[in-house]
Amino acid sequence: LEGRRRHVLEEYHKLHDLNQRKASVLIVGAGFIGVEWATEIDHFFPDITLTIIDALPRALGPLPDSAAEYCSEYMSAVGI
């Protein structure tokens, strides 16, 4: 548990520093985890500029079209 807790705190501090510097972050992979990661960073660290890319033509490719489109529209609306 201690190792995992330390890792989470280290990552938090890295993201906090990026947020203070108003840095840009590129997330490679627009599957479930990449999209979740992008939206969580956007919510908790709003001064980080995010870009998410994927080899597929749209985010969340395996989802039904309407769900994937909804998520893509949300990310566009919040500037991801």
Side-chain angles (χ1 to χ4, degrees), residues 7-57:
H7 175 73
V8 169
L9 287 173
E10 288 170 357
E11 294 304 312
Y12 168 80
H13 290 296
K14 289 177 189 176
L15 287 166
H16 183 270
D17 292 343
L18 290 170
N19 192 59
Q20 286 185 324
R21 294 189 324 217
K22 298 183 186 312
S24 297
V25 171
L26 173 65
I27 297 174
V28 179
F32 296 113
I33 294 170
V35 168
E36 179 183 14
W37 187 227
T39 56
E40 291 287 329
I41 292 172
D42 182 65
H43 179 77
F44 291 106
F45 303 97
D47 290 331
I48 295 176
T49 300
L50 295 168
T51 302
I52 185 168
I53 61 171
D54 198 272
L56 297 176

